[in-house]
């Protein structure tokens, strides 16, 4: 039996609007926090992991749906969108209407609220304010009266949300207290998180400039922004190298070759990487790979000493 073409096109439109590739940012940040918790207490709950992962999926859907609705003017003006930037394009292309996307956003928010309350009840009450904070950060990023992404602070806000709030939430969900959180490691990875946010703003510089959206690529200039984000990656890579200098961490140092090579390739591509070019797609890919692989290595370092046990 052949599927209804209109139904299949709608399913594909919703899949495109959901931007599943961007789940990796949220997922790895939450995993990092949870593996830090495992290292601190040598206990792990797969039930908590499931609910935190579901929380992250819903949080990411809220972000991409709400951003598409907020940035429709900039997305319509964008002629240099990539798979990493420029929104999902479903509203621009007309495959979904704003009304449909708003309804989807409402469903996601209801589900997110239910999961947040359940996770808060099962773990710690701190999950509720952190969940509200994650919603507020996106609202401050894209919506009036703040619209921080239009005022020059969007990437900083993104770094704070993904690099700070999410690891803390993951840590608290597994431990129920924050006293043993290794704060220095959270701060080690903030520069690469900021670089990640700056990378995805690069291709949209012409349209952002046209609509008055002051991303780092607009107010710094594209060349300076590229140099800055590559330097930020290098800072986190240097911190990571030092972090694994202890005898029990030296075995993991060779894994840092992956983010190092990715950063090197991003640097080599940077000169020719201009909005609309193939080079900028490759540069962003290697920039994101630098960040995600570094975070993944840190998360792995916390569970490499022993297998994860299961607790109720």
């Amino acid at each position: 039996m052949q599927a209804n073409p209109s139904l299949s096109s709608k399913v594909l439109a919703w899949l495109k609007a959901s931007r599943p590739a961007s789940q990796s940012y949220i997922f790895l940040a939450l995993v990092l926090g949870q593996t830090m918790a495992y290292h601190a207490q040598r206990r792990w709950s797969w039930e908590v992991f499931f609910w935190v992962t579901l929380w992250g999926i819903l949080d990411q859907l809220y972000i991409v749906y709400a951003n598409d609705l907020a940035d429709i003017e900039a997305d319509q003006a964008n002629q240099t969108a990539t798979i990493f930037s420029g929104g999902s394009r479903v509203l621009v292309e007309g495959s979904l209407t704003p009304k449909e996307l708003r309804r989807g956003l409402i469903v996601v928010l209801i589900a997110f609220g239910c999961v947040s309350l359940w996770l808060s009840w099962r773990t710690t009450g701190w999950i509720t304010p952190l969940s509200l904070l994650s919603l507020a950060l996106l609202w401050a990023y894209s919506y009036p009266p703040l619209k921080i992404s239009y005022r020059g602070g969007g990437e900083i806000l993104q770094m704070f949300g993904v690099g700070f709030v999410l690891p803390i939430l993951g840590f608290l969900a597994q431990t129920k207290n924050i006293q043993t959180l290794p704060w220095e490691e959270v701060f080690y990875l903030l520069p690469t998180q900021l670089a990640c946010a700056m990378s995805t703003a690069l291709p949209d510089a012409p349209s952002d400039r046209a609509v008055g959206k002051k991303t780092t690529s607009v107010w710094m200039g594209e060349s300076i922004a590229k140099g800055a984000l590559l330097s930020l990656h290098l800072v986190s890579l240097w911190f990571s190298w030092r972090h694994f200098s202890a005898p029990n961490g030296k075995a993991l140092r060779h894994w840092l070759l992956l983010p190092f090579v990715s950063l090197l390739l991003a640097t080599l591509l940077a000169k020719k990487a201009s909005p609309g070019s193939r080079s900028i797609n490759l540069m962003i890919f290697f920039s994101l790979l630098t960040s995600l692989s570094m975070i993944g290595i840190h998360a792995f370092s916390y569970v490499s000493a022993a297998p994860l046990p299961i607790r109720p």
Side-chain angles (χ1 to χ4, degrees):
M1 184 176 178
Q2 195 169 11
N4 187 329
S6 61
L7 176 61
S8 62
S9 64
K10 280 296 181 185
V11 170
L12 289 174
W14 279 108
L15 183 62
K16 187 176 181 180
S18 299
R19 303 184 73 180
S22 65
Q23 285 282 353
S24 57
Y25 313 143
I26 307 292
F27 177 74
L28 277 176
L30 291 169
V31 166
L32 176 65
Q34 292 179 89
T35 55
M36 287 177 176
Y38 168 70
H39 181 76
Q41 64 181 4
R42 283 295 189 269
R43 289 182 300 161
W44 177 271
S45 170
W46 286 109
E47 179 194 353
V48 169
F49 174 79
F50 169 80
W51 288 108
V52 169
T53 301
L54 182 57
W55 183 99
I57 290 170
L58 294 168
D59 186 46
Q60 184 268 349
L61 291 177
Y62 160 73
I63 290 168
V64 294
Y65 292 172
N67 263 333
D68 266 3
L69 289 165
D71 287 344
I72 186 169
E73 182 183 352
D75 291 344
Q76 286 172 336
N78 195 334
Q79 302 299 313
T80 56
T82 70
I83 60 171
F84 309 107
S85 63
S88 70
R89 315 298 290 171
V90 293
L91 296 180
V92 175
E93 296 166 357
S95 51
L96 289 177
T97 65
K99 185 177 181 180
E100 288 174 319
L101 199 57
R102 272 193 291 270
R103 285 177 176 173
L105 178 60
I106 291 169
V107 171
V108 166
L109 282 171
I110 292 171
F112 179 80
C114 292
V115 171
S116 298
L117 290 173
W118 172 257
L119 192 57
S120 185
W121 179 71
R122 291 288 291 141
T123 59
T124 170
W126 282 105
I127 299 297
T128 297
L130 285 172
S131 299
L132 292 173
L133 178 59
S134 70
L135 298 181
L137 287 173
L138 185 277
W139 199 267
Y141 181 91
S142 294
Y143 287 87
L146 297 179
K147 292 188 78 170
I148 289 174
S149 65
Y150 284 77
R151 301 173 187 269
E155 290 89 341
I156 297 290
L157 206 65
Q158 184 176 330
M159 174 198 72
F160 178 74
V162 178
F164 194 75
V165 175
L166 296 186
I168 290 174
L169 185 141
F171 186 89
L172 281 170
Q174 289 283 354
T175 64
K176 303 181 184 179
N177 73 78
I178 205 167
Q179 294 177 356
T180 54
L181 176 69
W183 291 99
E184 70 283 354
E185 183 138 357
V186 175
F187 289 110
Y188 288 165
L189 294 170
L190 287 181
T192 194
Q193 294 281 16
L194 179 56
C196 191
M198 292 172 68
S199 297
T200 54
L202 277 172
D204 300 339
S207 56
D208 288 342
R209 193 175 290 112
V211 299
K213 189 175 183 180
K214 295 178 181 177
T215 62
T216 49
S217 301
V218 172
W219 64 264
M220 280 186 178
E222 292 161 43
S223 296
I224 295 175
K226 284 185 282 188
L229 73 89
L230 293 170
S231 299
L232 287 165
H233 279 314
L234 189 60
V235 169
S236 281
L237 192 57
W238 181 75
F239 276 136
S240 298
W241 179 263
R242 291 194 61 189
H243 176 71
F244 295 128
S245 63
N248 60 347
K250 284 185 177 179
L252 292 165
R253 271 188 165 185
H254 65 279
W255 288 104
L256 293 175
L257 184 63
L258 175 56
F260 175 77
V261 171
S262 297
L263 179 56
L264 180 61
L265 291 171
T267 303
L268 293 173
L269 290 160
K271 187 174 182 181
K272 293 183 178 179
S274 57
S277 70
R278 184 180 178 183
S279 296
I280 203 165
N281 290 329
L282 290 171
M283 181 194 167
I284 295 170
F285 171 78
F286 286 117
S287 176
L288 299 182
L289 182 59
T290 301
S291 184
L292 294 175
S293 61
M294 213 181 311
I295 295 165
I297 291 165
H298 278 264
F300 176 73
S301 73
Y302 283 115
V303 297
S304 60
L308 290 173
I310 299 175
R311 68 174 171 87

